[in-house]
């Protein structure tokens, strides 16, 4: 069970990210971390605000030290704790006496070091809370607030040019590579924040804080796990409402294990699938590489939401062909130009040019640089175009020679800056944007640039997809999220009770009659005519009836009494601890398309709806789509469209096409049933949900409830 949430205030985060004076507790000439922090702060003009605390050395880094923080005249705002873990508590107490309201604990030997370290970390957090100090870490490298010129971090070469992308990393070492790539890719950062063990301040706290900073346009995150999931979800929705993309590189896509559960749904819903589903619902963009994370965040911070298709202007016909293929693969529309746009382009292109999208302006632009500007203006004005890519070269060598193509870049920059839609300067291959290339782009006023055709198209695809999910992401749940602090086993309802529950919420179920004896089973069978029947055991203690011989198919009506009596006897012998209520008798249905519709509880995110191909296909094909509850009919329709086997609903091998509206309505009703149970529900599953044209009905149902707290 998780402990109570740690209290982190906005005032405390402000003190952490925007301090004016600094104490390095444990500063030492022998410490590379210490040397880096001091050098960074001095390089940013903060040297007079840095105080070095070391009772054993009168001078460190060429500067006089003090023995304790409370000896610092005027006190301090932020303390860097660089002492061994056993001394960190005293360091926090000393910093608090000097007025510090925030601390960065670089020290290691905490939760990352095993059970003893976890206990030490918990004690440090409790102390920080009691002292009223906001603590980042432990096992962390620090923060860089580029916007305010505060490089309080033990990494070399912190960024200096302020931008609009805030970078948060759980890993300190990876953070160094990330901020270096951002420099090479021309993605300018507002913050570089490491979080280490997230013992007190978590990624969720930082996201929640940064969303309200108008200077931040996007947030790029490398994380291993989502701590404070409900706070993260609320912050993500606020970011979506503000039109600020959150782009996440989360480690752990490989499926190491699925949670054990009483339903197929629990086995199918693995941790990584849950993360994908929740991120999608929250409007969070998930990527797989550092490069994709930063390029996508850079585009999102510049462009914001993108509506419309991709317009391409290139001096290379080959690049046009490559982009067309990449766009099709990434599901990015390259729309046909309107007749008005085509006419406008034909009036400006050479006779051998063709006014279609992607647009090759041909080598004529070499002798006629204004052709670049005219083409971009026409393409950007097309009503179907939501973003423009201008494809041209840039030098990657730093030779200092004037760039022969500056007139082309000037035309591109002017037209992109004046365009009514976002525009990107794109090189054909991945290359660094070094000082010379940045100067060329800055001189021309180019608003944004991306190196490489694939990087540009994929980033556009992600931001367009994010843009289309914003409306759904900002909607708050219509029912309170479950109490995820409580995890307990529960009891399954009998199938008869589960069927009754579903019916009360408008879910159609296959007809069936309950019988507690063999004679009652015979009487029940009479109401279903002369066709074959299904007999199933009814027990709240047996989740998987087939495993214990509790299901018989194609039973002749005259055999129902014998089958029912024998089944109750055999199941009671096989599972002596189970309560046997009786059997259900119902008509045998002909083969049809089958779906699994299940709801299972995630310890962090609450109830999740899973929809997949049912029956035996659910385990064979592993084809399932997931979304956190609540889910309306629009969300259900989206889930069904995500299935690889979605075409089965269109009818195959002579079977009628499914009435998709009817399917969506029933699945939504199942989700509503689960939502109505709220915190009481552990799992609910209909498998299969039989779909035969407009006839949609549940053939089997499982409901597992959580035990009430005593």
């Amino acid at each position: 069970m998780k402990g109570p949430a740690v209290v982190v205030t906005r005032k405390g985060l402000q003190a952490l990210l925007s301090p004016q004076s600094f104490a390095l507790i444990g500063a030492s000439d022998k410490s590379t971390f210490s040397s880096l922090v001091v050098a960074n702060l001095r390089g940013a003009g903060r040297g007079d605000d840095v105080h070095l605390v070391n009772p054993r050395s009168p001078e460190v880094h060429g500067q006089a030290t003090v023995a304790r923080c409370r000896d610092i005249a005027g006190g301090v705002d932020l303390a860097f704790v660089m002492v061994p873990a056993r001394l960190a508590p005293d360091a926090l107490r000393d910093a608090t006496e000097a007025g510090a309201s925030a601390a960065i604990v670089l020290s290691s030997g905490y939760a990352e070091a095993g059970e003893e370290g976890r206990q030490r970390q918990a004690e440090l957090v409790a102390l920080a809370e009691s002292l009223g100090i906001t603590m980042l870490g432990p096992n962390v490298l620090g923060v860089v607030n580029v916007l305010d010129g505060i490089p309080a971090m033990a990494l070399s070469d912190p960024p200096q040019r302020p931008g609009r992308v805030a970078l948060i990393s759980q890993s300190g070492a990876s953070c160094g590579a990330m901020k270096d790539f951002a420099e090479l890719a021309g993605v300018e950062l507002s913050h570089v924040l490491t979080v280490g063990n997230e013992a007190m301040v978590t990624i969720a706290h930082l996201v929640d804080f940064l969303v309200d900073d108008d200077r931040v346009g996007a947030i790029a995150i490398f994380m291993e796990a989502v701590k404070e999931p409900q706070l993260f979800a609320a912050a993500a929705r606020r970011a979506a409402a503000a039109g600020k993309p959150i782009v996440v590189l989360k480690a752990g896509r490989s499926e190491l294990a699925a949670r054990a559960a009483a339903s197929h749904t629990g086995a199918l819903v693995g941790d990584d699938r849950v993360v994908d589903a929740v991120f999608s619902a929250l409007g969070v963009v998930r990527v797989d590489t550092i490069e994709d994370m930063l390029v996508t965040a850079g585009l999102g911070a510049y462009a914001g939401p993108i509506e419309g298709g991709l317009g391409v202007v290139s001096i290379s016909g080959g690049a046009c062909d490559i982009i067309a293929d990449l766009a099709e693969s990434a599901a990015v529309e390259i729309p046909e130009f309107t007749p008005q746009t085509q006419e406008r382009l034909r009036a400006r292109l050479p006779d051998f040019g063709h006014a279609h999208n992607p647009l090759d302006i041909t080598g004529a632009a070499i002798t006629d640089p204004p052709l670049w500007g005219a083409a971009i203006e026409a393409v950007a004005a097309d009503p179907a175009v939501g973003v423009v890519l201008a494809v041209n070269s840039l030098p990657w060598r730093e030779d200092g020679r004037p760039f022969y193509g500056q007139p082309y870049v000037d035309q591109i920059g002017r037209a992109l800056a004046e365009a009514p839609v976002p525009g990107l300067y794109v090189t054909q291959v991945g290359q660094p944007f070094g000082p010379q290339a940045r100067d060329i782009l800055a001189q021309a006023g180019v608003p944004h640039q991306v190196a490489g055709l694939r990087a540009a198209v994929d980033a556009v695809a992600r931001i367009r997809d994010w843009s289309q999910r914003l409306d759904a992401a900002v909607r708050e749940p219509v029912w309170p999220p479950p109490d995820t602090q409580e995890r307990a086993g529960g009891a399954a309802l009998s199938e008869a009770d589960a069927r009754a529950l579903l019916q009360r919420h408008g879910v159609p179920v296959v007809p069936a009659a309950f019988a507690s004896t063999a004679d009652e089973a015979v009487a029940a069978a009479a109401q279903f005519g002369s066709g074959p029947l299904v007999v199933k055991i009814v027990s709240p203690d047996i989740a998987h009836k087939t495993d214990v011989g509790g299901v018989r198919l194609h039973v002749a009506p005259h055999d129902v009494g014998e089958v029912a009596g024998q089944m109750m006897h055999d199941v009671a012998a096989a599972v002596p601890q189970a309560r046997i209520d009786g059997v259900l008798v119902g008509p045998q249905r002909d083969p049809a398309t089958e779906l699994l519709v299940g709801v299972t509880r995630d310890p962090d995110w609450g109830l999740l709806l899973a929809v997949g191909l049912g029956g035996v296909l659910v385990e064979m094909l592993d084809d399932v789509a997931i979304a956190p509850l609540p889910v309306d009919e629009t969300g259900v329709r989206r889930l069904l469209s995500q299935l690889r086997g979605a075409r089965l609903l269109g009818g195959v091998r002579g079977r009628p096409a499914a009435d998709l509206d009817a399917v969506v309505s029933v699945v939504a009703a199942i989700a509503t049933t689960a939502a109505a149970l709220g915190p009481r529900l552990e799992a609910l599953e209909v498998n299969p949900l039989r779909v035969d044209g407009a006839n949609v009905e549940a053939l089997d149902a499982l409901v597992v409830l959580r035990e009430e707290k005593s």
Side-chain angles (χ1 to χ4, degrees):
M1 181 178 293
K2 297 178 182 178
V6 174
V7 177
V8 176
T9 65
R10 300 191 68 81
K11 182 179 179 181
L13 291 172
Q14 183 69 29
L16 176 67
L17 298 184
S18 298
Q20 298 304 308
S21 57
F22 314 84
L24 273 63
I25 305 175
S28 170
D29 288 324
K30 298 179 180 179
S31 168
T32 301
F33 290 155
S34 177
S35 299
L36 286 169
V37 174
V38 170
N40 289 338
L41 289 170
R42 288 174 177 172
R46 302 274 181 171
D48 292 343
D49 304 316
V50 177
H51 306 277
L52 307 183
V53 181
N54 189 324
R56 298 182 179 181
S57 299
E59 181 177 298
V60 173
H61 306 312
Q63 177 180 332
T65 65
V66 295
R68 299 167 300 184
C69 290
R70 53 182 177 270
D71 296 333
I72 299 171
V76 295
D77 297 329
L78 174 70
F80 272 86
V81 177
M82 311 170 90
V83 297
R86 59 184 174 81
L87 301 178
D90 287 340
L92 287 185
R93 294 186 185 96
D94 180 33
T96 305
E97 290 184 25
S101 53
I104 297 174
V105 179
L106 280 74
S107 313
S108 57
Y110 292 92
E112 78 282 2
E115 183 57 39
E116 183 179 345
R118 283 191 287 272
Q119 180 62 33
R120 185 183 298 120
Q121 180 169 296
E123 292 169 356
L124 190 66
V125 171
L127 174 63
E129 285 195 287
S130 69
L131 295 172
I133 196 164
T134 298
M135 183 185 76
L136 181 69
N139 190 30
V140 70
L141 294 182
V143 300
V144 180
N145 180 344
V146 191
L147 296 171
D148 297 329
I150 302 173
M153 179 176 281
L155 277 178
S156 62
D157 301 318
Q160 298 179 3
R161 292 187 306 277
R164 288 179 52 77
V165 175
L167 171 62
I168 306 174
S169 176
Q170 206 159 21
S171 166
S174 295
C175 186
M178 293 171 191
K179 57 95 176 168
D180 288 345
F181 175 78
E183 173 83 7
L184 295 174
V187 177
E188 295 181 340
L189 304 174
S190 64
H191 300 79
V192 181
L193 311 174
T194 59
V195 294
N197 292 4
E198 295 185 90
M200 187 176 191
V201 174
T202 67
I203 289 173
H205 291 116
L206 294 173
V207 172
D208 189 55
F209 182 83
L210 293 170
V211 165
D212 292 328
D213 192 330
D214 292 338
R215 301 171 297 174
V216 175
I219 303 173
I221 304 171
F222 171 73
M223 64 166 60
E224 297 168 2
V226 182
K227 296 187 178 181
E228 302 275 0
Q230 298 307 320
L231 176 60
F232 181 86
R237 290 192 185 95
R238 295 202 305 113
K244 298 182 179 184
I246 298 174
V247 185
V248 174
L249 169 58
K250 183 187 177 300
R253 274 203 183 274
S254 56
E255 193 68 30
L256 298 180
R259 278 182 300 280
S263 65
H264 287 98
T265 308
L268 289 168
V269 178
D271 289 340
D272 197 64
R273 280 177 168 162
V274 170
V275 170
D276 276 342
V278 171
F279 281 5
S280 178
L282 294 175
V284 173
V285 182
R286 190 174 184 187
V287 297
D288 293 319
T289 67
I290 292 172
E291 295 89 340
D292 287 344
M293 176 182 69
L294 287 164
V295 171
T296 303
L299 173 59
Y302 155 64
I306 294 175
E307 298 180 2
L310 182 63
V312 180
V313 179
S314 172
I315 201 170
S316 165
C320 290
D321 294 339
I322 294 171
I323 288 176
D325 290 342
L326 291 171
E328 181 176 351
S329 176
V332 176
E333 180 188 7
I334 297 183
E336 287 291 334
F337 293 140
T338 64
Q340 294 79 6
T341 302
Q342 293 180 36
E343 182 178 350
R344 184 176 175 182
L345 288 170
R346 279 194 290 267
R348 192 62 180 80
L349 288 170
D351 293 341
F352 51 85
H354 300 285
H356 58 69
N357 194 15
L359 177 65
D360 176 9
I361 59 174
T362 77
I366 295 176
T367 56
D368 182 15
L371 177 56
W372 272 108
I376 292 171
E377 290 168 3
V379 171
D382 191 286
V385 170
V387 60
V388 177
L389 267 58
V391 182
N392 194 37
S393 61
L394 279 174
W396 59 271
R397 292 185 179 89
E398 298 296 324
D399 54 19
R401 294 180 297 179
F403 179 44
Y404 74 91
Q406 188 70 56
Y408 316 140
V409 185
D410 291 343
Q411 286 289 329
I412 293 170
R414 178 193 60 78
L416 292 179
E418 296 174 357
V421 297
L424 317 180
Y425 191 114
V426 181
T427 57
Q428 292 201 49
V429 297
Q431 66 178 73
F433 293 119
Q436 185 173 350
R438 288 198 298 269
D439 288 345
I440 292 168
L441 294 168
Q443 178 180 322
V446 171
H448 196 70
Q449 67 287 322
V450 175
L453 302 180
R454 176 177 288 279
V457 172
D458 285 354
V460 168
R462 295 187 193 98
I463 294 300
R464 285 184 76 251
D465 176 70
W466 164 76
S467 305
Q468 293 165 359
R469 291 188 279 121
L470 286 181
D471 287 344
V474 299
R475 291 200 297 266
E476 291 288 343
V478 297
W479 55 286
D483 179 6
T484 56
Q485 301 299 315
E486 178 186 345
R487 289 286 292 172
L493 298 183
S494 71
E495 185 178 354
D497 291 338
R499 285 166 52 89
L501 173 68
L502 290 168
Q503 287 179 302
R504 287 198 299 272
H505 289 274
V507 179
V509 298
V510 64
F514 172 74
S516 60
T517 67
D519 289 341
E520 289 181 7
V522 173
Q527 64 184 285
F528 298 116
S530 60
L533 300 170
V534 176
V535 180
K536 295 190 285 186
I537 201 72
V538 175
S539 170
D541 302 319
I542 300 174
H544 300 298
K545 297 179 285 292
T546 304
D547 295 347
V548 295
V551 178
R552 284 284 301 274
L553 306 177
H554 302 287
V555 178
H558 57 79
D559 292 331
V560 165
E562 179 182 352
V563 169
Q566 190 65 45
M567 178 180 291
M568 286 187 279
H569 176 273
D570 291 347
V571 172
V575 193
Q577 72 276 17
R579 293 165 289 172
I580 307 299
D581 295 337
V583 295
L584 282 176
V585 179
Q588 174 75 46
R589 291 304 197 208
D590 293 332
T593 301
E594 295 182 343
L595 297 176
L596 173 144
V597 182
V599 176
T600 189
R601 179 176 298 280
D602 181 86
D604 290 326
W605 303 108
L607 296 178
L608 301 163
L609 172 67
V611 180
L613 295 176
V616 297
L617 293 178
V618 68
E619 293 174 344
M620 291 175 58
L621 299 184
D622 193 25
D623 187 10
V624 64
I626 306 166
L629 291 188
V631 178
D632 58 16
E633 291 194 359
T634 300
V636 170
R637 196 176 298 270
R638 186 182 305 115
L639 286 180
L640 291 171
S641 70
Q642 293 171 6
L643 297 175
R644 297 192 303 274
R647 286 185 296 176
L648 289 174
L649 296 173
V652 293
R653 295 187 178 272
R655 291 182 183 174
D659 183 334
L660 193 57
D661 289 340
V663 175
V664 168
S665 177
V666 172
V667 174
I670 295 171
T672 299
T673 306
L677 292 171
R680 296 178 57 203
L681 183 67
E682 185 68 26
L684 183 154
E685 181 174 283
V686 173
N687 183 29
L689 180 70
R690 182 176 181 272
V691 180
D692 186 14
N695 184 19
V696 182
E697 57 187 357
L699 300 190
D700 197 10
L702 169 71
V703 176
V704 181
L705 299 177
R706 310 170 88 193
E707 291 178 350
E708 298 287 344
K709 279 186 174 181
S710 58

